[in-house]
Amino acid sequence: MKDYPDKMTPEQARRFLNDVLDIVGQIPRGRVTTYGTIAAWAGWPSHARMVGRTLRYTPGADARPCHRVVNKAGRTAPGWSLQRTLLEAEGVTFTASGLVDMHRHWWEPQQPT
C-alpha cells in the first residue's frame, strides 16, 4: 500500500487495512455496500480503489464476505463470476441490466470504526 498519492504512513496503512476488513465483516447477509462507502468509513473517502486492492491482495480477506462489496452502480467485480452466484444465494436481486438492486440491498455502517 505504498503507491498511493496521499502517502499513508505505515501505521495509517495498517489502520486502513484493519478498518476495511472490519467493515466488510459487518455487512449483513443479503445486503451490499460499495468500495467508496467503505473507504469513507475508514477515513479515506477518495480511496475506493484502494479498498478493492486491499480486498484482493490481503491474505485471509477472502474469509470475510467480500462478495458483498460492489461498485456504486451495483456492478460486481470484473472477472469474478462467482460473486453474483454468492449474492443470489443470499437473496440479493439484480436488475435487468445485471446490476445489484442497490435501492433494495444497499447497506451502510451505523457507526464509524
Side-chain angles (χ1 to χ4, degrees):
M1 287 196 247
K2 61 184 177 182
D3 61 336
Y4 294 94
D6 290 347
K7 298 184 181 174
M8 288 182 180
T9 66
E11 179 55 36
Q12 288 171 319
R14 278 190 295 278
R15 175 72 181 176
F16 182 83
L17 182 144
N18 291 333
D19 287 349
V20 167
L21 296 179
D22 180 57
I23 293 165
V24 170
Q26 295 176 45
I27 305 169
R29 183 176 175 80
R31 304 296 294 277
V32 298
T33 197
T34 66
Y35 299 101
T37 298
I38 293 170
W41 279 88
W44 294 83
S46 63
H47 285 64
R49 287 185 180 186
M50 190 169 169
V51 170
R53 290 181 184 136
T54 298
L55 296 176
R56 182 172 183 172
Y57 296 114
T58 300
D62 57 349
R64 290 180 169 65
C66 298
H67 64 283
R68 297 177 187 154
V69 183
V70 296
N71 81 0
K72 65 183 177 181
R75 188 169 293 117
T76 57
W80 188 21
S81 58
L82 181 59
Q83 184 178 14
R84 181 176 176 139
T85 303
L86 292 169
L87 290 171
E88 287 176 330
E90 293 183 358
V92 174
T93 57
F94 288 76
T95 66
S97 60
L99 303 175
V100 170
D101 182 345
M102 296 298 282
H103 295 289
R104 187 170 177 191
H105 301 287
W106 186 70
W107 173 85
E108 183 172 15
Q110 297 302 307
Q111 297 178 9
T113 58

